[in-house]
Amino acid sequence: MRITFVLPTPDMGGGMRVIALYASLLQKRGHEVYLVAVPPAQPSLQERIKSFLKQEQLLTDEIQLGHFERLGLACHLLERYRPVTDADVPDADVVLATWWETAEWVMKLSRSKGAKVY
């Protein structure tokens, strides 16, 4: 079976660890697993100016693929933060949304991308 996981920005949280474990176990059972994620959103101009004026360091999310790398999984990152589209994922049997925002993206994918699971 061909299975696609649509992820938000990867981090070292427990949710990402569970997704990595599920993907790894499915792959070990002989399934083709594809993981696609988005990098963190860039701060808006207003956020950058506010941070500069307050002389605060602007906090940005970091991409942390540790859970996936440790299990030998390739996670495909989009070039910038944006919704995942049909062009970003291969045709599959199942496509899984792993977060509320990714559920909106998966809902808009064509049928050829797989049965949609939220």
Side-chain angles (χ1 to χ4, degrees):
M1 187 179 298
R2 298 167 300 163
I3 304 166
T4 302
F5 287 83
V6 179
L7 311 168
T9 302
D11 58 26
M12 292 300 291
M16 287 294 161
R17 181 172 182 237
V18 170
I19 293 166
L21 287 171
Y22 286 165
S24 175
L25 291 170
L26 286 166
Q27 197 171 49
K28 286 178 182 173
R29 287 181 158 245
H31 300 288
E32 292 178 39
V33 176
Y34 185 85
L35 299 148
V36 61
V38 294
Q42 295 298 315
S44 68
L45 179 60
Q46 181 179 4
E47 291 170 329
R48 290 183 289 195
I49 291 171
K50 187 176 181 180
S51 175
F52 176 76
L53 292 174
K54 288 186 171 185
Q55 296 181 349
E56 295 175 345
Q57 183 177 359
L58 190 61
L59 298 176
T60 58
D61 292 335
E62 292 182 23
I63 301 170
Q64 298 177 348
L65 298 173
H67 294 309
F68 302 102
E69 290 172 345
R70 250 187 306 239
L71 295 171
L73 299 167
C75 186
H76 305 278
L77 287 170
L78 300 183
E79 71 284 352
R80 62 181 171 82
Y81 186 88
R82 62 174 174 77
V84 173
T85 64
D86 280 348
D88 301 317
V89 297
D91 290 348
D93 299 308
V94 178
V95 60
L96 290 129
T98 60
W99 182 247
W100 67 268
E101 191 173 28
T102 63
E104 294 174 2
W105 303 341
V106 166
M107 182 178 63
K108 295 176 184 174
L109 295 175
S110 66
R111 286 182 168 211
S112 66
K113 302 308 172 184
K116 298 167 184 164
V117 179
Y118 307 105

